[in-house]
Amino acid sequence: MTNGTASQPSIDIGRYWAVIASRWPVILGSMAVGLLVAVSYLLLIPRMYTATTTLAIFPISSDPYAANRNSSNLLDMTAEASMASSFKVAQAAANSTGGAWAAPELRTNTTVSAGSGSTVMTVSVDANSEALARQGASAMAEAYLQTRSQQAAESIDNVVRRDRERIDKDRQQLRDAIKRLAASKPGSPAAAEATADQQILNLQISALLSRISALEGIDTTGGVILNPASMTTISVTPSVRMALAVGAAAGLGIGVLIAFISHARRRTVSTERGLARELDIEALGTWTGDQLVAATIAQQLLRMATLNNARVIAFAQDPLLESVPS
């Protein structure tokens, strides 16, 4: 039975809570299923450990600390990252692990990241155990620095060797020029030519010696390890806490959804209170018993409806009881 006064629709939080409370076994069961799925996922999916090593890369230059130079401008970090993840570095790193890693596997499981405007590089290695991941990340970082230093040293040695060979040739030519100058008449064209050759060869030899001195003074260390793999935090995937939380949350959400769907499909109302809640009406009363008193009780309900200014009156009959005569 409804009153004549219009009522604004509102959200009845208590009603929703009643639905959830009345179907808590379904919700708890759904959460249990979600946790079971999460545990099964953790058991079926192998866990992967990721260890990282952070390196500071130095430019290999004769004057790396010049005031008018920025260290990041002297380095091609993209090329350095490619070198750090190369098979050559992975082979050297695998050799240092005593057979714990194979070069192809280590190279596949290595990720190197470096910013274009920075001189810091991060080497990450994935493995199926924490110890193996730390060993791989440490080996890759050390092998990269060693390989970079060796390449720089070999390049410098090659340049120095070529310069020394050139100096030997220039000195031989210088001796010939001195001999020609001594054998020629002073002031003659031959003497002038020998003098010019002598001066040019002296300048060339002096320049080559200066370059050799600068090259031999270059530090080929190339970088240092800032954060070794043994001291960094290990990342584990999949995360146990995350998987269990997602499983429980998914189970809870599905359980609540099932609760509301089953509640919406319910057709049986067993109490006066339930009828009033389901139909959003005001229940004025109920009656049970013999059919002879039904008319009297109906008249009483009508008087109650009149006192409440009700404009719509409805009678709900339990189908299990006998029909009330019209």
Side-chain angles (χ1 to χ4, degrees):
M1 181 177 297
T2 59
N3 290 333
T5 57
S7 59
Q8 296 294 332
S10 61
I11 299 177
D12 188 358
I13 302 298
R15 182 179 179 183
Y16 292 115
W17 175 251
V19 173
I20 294 175
S22 63
R23 288 166 173 76
W24 64 266
V26 175
I27 297 176
L28 289 181
S30 180
M31 287 185 63
V33 173
L35 289 174
L36 182 61
V37 172
V39 171
S40 301
Y41 171 77
L42 292 174
L43 293 177
L44 294 175
I45 301 300
R47 304 185 71 184
M48 188 64 66
Y49 299 83
T50 302
T52 59
T53 301
T54 306
L55 301 86
I57 310 303
F58 302 150
I60 300 177
S61 171
S62 59
D63 191 9
Y65 303 107
N68 59 344
R69 290 183 179 180
N70 187 355
S71 296
S72 60
N73 296 333
L74 301 177
L75 292 170
D76 185 355
M77 294 304 293
T78 302
E80 296 295 336
S82 299
M83 176 182 174
S85 59
S86 65
F87 182 82
K88 181 178 181 179
V89 173
Q91 183 66 62
N95 293 337
S96 67
T97 61
W101 280 97
E105 181 184 8
L106 184 56
R107 182 174 182 268
T108 302
N109 292 347
T110 298
T111 303
V112 179
S113 59
S116 58
S118 173
T119 59
V120 177
M121 176 186 295
T122 301
V123 178
S124 303
V125 175
D126 301 330
N128 55 11
S129 70
E130 178 178 344
L132 198 60
R134 291 187 187 274
Q135 184 184 27
S138 178
M140 285 295 293
E142 293 175 358
Y144 160 69
L145 292 178
Q146 184 178 3
T147 301
R148 186 169 187 261
S149 177
Q150 288 177 350
Q151 288 184 348
E154 290 175 359
S155 178
I156 291 174
D157 289 342
N158 290 333
V159 175
V160 169
R161 186 182 66 255
R162 289 195 298 268
D163 286 350
R164 291 190 183 280
E165 292 175 354
R166 186 175 176 183
I167 287 176
D168 291 340
K169 294 180 180 179
D170 289 345
R171 283 175 174 172
Q172 181 63 40
Q173 294 178 2
L174 178 60
R175 286 193 290 268
D176 294 340
I178 293 174
K179 290 179 180 180
R180 285 188 287 111
L181 179 62
S184 60
K185 183 178 179 180
S188 64
E193 181 180 359
T195 301
D197 291 343
Q198 182 181 358
Q199 293 176 350
I200 293 174
L201 290 171
N202 282 329
L203 291 174
Q204 289 179 352
I205 293 173
S206 177
L208 290 173
L209 289 174
S210 298
R211 186 165 73 170
I212 290 175
S213 178
L215 290 175
E216 289 179 341
I218 293 178
D219 182 9
T220 60
T221 302
V224 295
I225 296 178
L226 298 177
N227 299 311
S230 59
M231 302 300 294
T232 56
T233 302
I234 292 292
S235 175
V236 184
T237 54
S239 172
V240 175
R241 292 183 179 180
M242 182 63 67
L244 294 179
V246 171
L252 176 62
I254 294 175
V256 172
L257 182 61
I258 293 175
F260 280 104
I261 291 176
S262 62
H263 176 76
R265 291 183 176 180
R266 189 180 66 175
R267 292 292 181 265
T268 302
V269 177
S270 58
T271 63
E272 171 191 350
R273 196 173 192 181
L275 178 64
R277 184 177 66 248
E278 293 295 330
L279 300 180
D280 194 18
I281 62 174
E282 180 181 357
L284 299 179
T286 60
W287 78 89
T288 59
D290 195 277
Q291 296 181 4
L292 297 177
V293 298
T296 303
I297 297 176
Q299 290 180 358
Q300 293 176 359
L301 294 177
L302 289 174
R303 285 196 295 272
M304 292 173 63
T306 301
L307 293 175
N308 286 275
N309 296 323
R311 296 182 180 179
V312 179
I313 303 173
F315 293 91
Q317 181 181 359
D318 191 338
L320 298 178
L321 301 177
E322 295 181 3
S323 300
V324 178
S326 57

